Amino acid sequence: MSAGAPGTGETVAGEAAVPRHVAIIMDGNGRWAKRKGLPRVAGHREGAEAVRRTLKAAVEAGVECLTLYAFSSENWRRSEEEVTDLKGLMRFYLERELEELAREGVKLRFIGEPSAFGPDLWERLQLAAAKTADNDKLILNVALNYGSQQELARAAQILAQEVADGVITPEDISVEKMGEVLQTAELPPLDLLIRTSGEVRLSNFLLWQSAYAELIFLDLLWPDFDKEAFNEALSQFAGRQRRFGGR
Ligand code: FPP
């Protein structure tokens, strides 16, 4: 495949490039609801509709993997009511969308520690992942109870244990080795990271993986995100020259 062709994740001047792996920090649900005088849960509900639209746009564009930050390790600090609403919405979304996701060839997987959501939701998530495991059109990777620092600390523990067990030596620990013990090990390298709502920070999301990703910060609130906004981000990506530290 030539550089710049869809799916290479590389951008070359004058050629359209489609990122292989796009990650999104879906921010602004609460502000969207507040502006409309609605409860926060209405913003999350509308946010779930934006997820549907974005997934469709990503499949159409030929993106291989879409990672969505749905619940961070820090989101437990929100009110019990909001956490319950978010869990309920995930359950509802899974029930309503699973058949279609399976039919459309979407492979669902998760990063983070979703078992903390309790056995009921955890079981449903695992079943959904199993049902879609053989699909290969697009990987929908949902970050649930995810924190990048926690993921990195866990990776360090795994490697430390391998050293303690004599499986590897400290010198064997390399960038590649680290990549192998992260939860994203089976995914394509991250090409593009988008954050909505005008905030300009990574908020403990994919810190290692975004080392060479292109970053796009949009003023749009997540519930207003649509196919047009997604395609606009893709064309900004295509216009960037990626040098990966070279010249
Ligand atoms: C950030 O907005 C959004 C979240 C913490 C939750 C994201 C959840 C969804 C989009 C819905 C469910 C997801 C799936 C995958 C079905 P915020 O509440 O921090 O907004 P604010 O900063 O304006 O308060």
Side-chain angles (χ1 to χ4, degrees), residues 31-228:
R31 273 162 285 173
W32 182 91
K34 193 170 180 193
R35 279 183 199 172
K36 296 203 170 326
L38 297 169
R40 292 181 63 80
V41 66
H44 294 316
R45 226 177 270 136
E46 212 45 45
E49 294 307 315
V51 168
R52 277 187 98 196
R53 295 194 289 270
T54 305
L55 180 63
K56 202 158 173 265
V59 170
E60 281 172 19
V63 167
E64 276 175 54
C65 177
L66 181 67
T67 296
L68 299 178
Y69 205 6
F71 195 96
S72 77
S73 318
E74 289 72 35
N75 282 154
W76 296 108
R77 294 188 199 133
R78 297 194 175 199
S79 72
E80 207 182 316
E81 186 191 358
E82 186 169 350
V83 171
T84 305
D85 284 341
L86 280 167
K87 281 164 63 178
L89 203 54
M90 284 174 214
R91 192 176 300 117
F92 172 78
Y93 188 85
L94 262 186
E95 262 170 33
R96 195 187 66 176
E97 303 294 331
L98 185 57
E99 289 301 324
E100 196 174 337
L101 292 179
R103 224 181 9 256
E104 283 180 0
V106 173
K107 174 176 177 165
L108 194 58
R109 70 189 298 293
F110 308 98
I111 53 171
E113 301 296 336
S115 59
F117 289 127
D120 175 52
L121 186 50
W122 177 220
E123 203 169 295
R124 285 167 196 259
L125 291 168
Q126 284 175 298
L127 282 173
K131 188 178 165 78
T132 59
D134 295 331
N135 287 348
D136 59 5
K137 188 129 191 196
L138 176 141
I139 299 167
L140 176 59
N141 179 43
V142 187
L144 290 171
N145 189 23
Y146 174 84
S148 189
Q149 291 175 330
Q150 290 83 341
E151 182 193 24
L152 288 163
R154 180 76 194 119
Q157 282 175 4
I158 294 169
L159 294 176
Q161 191 61 55
E162 287 186 17
V163 171
D165 293 344
V167 179
I168 58 169
T169 66
E171 291 71 32
D172 291 328
I173 298 176
S174 60
V175 170
E176 289 71 28
K177 191 82 193 152
M178 276 291 291
E180 285 168 19
V181 292
L182 292 173
Q183 292 188 309
T184 49
E186 291 155 31
L187 305 177
L190 182 62
D191 294 313
L192 171 61
L193 188 147
I194 301 169
R195 180 173 188 147
T196 58
S197 95
E199 309 287 352
V200 186
R201 56 177 169 269
L202 294 181
S203 298
N204 203 13
F205 187 49
L206 301 178
L207 303 179
W208 175 279
Q209 296 84 345
S210 59
Y212 286 105
E214 294 297 322
L215 309 181
I216 293 183
F217 298 94
L218 300 172
D219 277 334
L220 214 61
L221 300 174
W222 176 250
D224 293 325
F225 194 84
D226 57 10
K227 180 178 170 176
E228 197 188 336

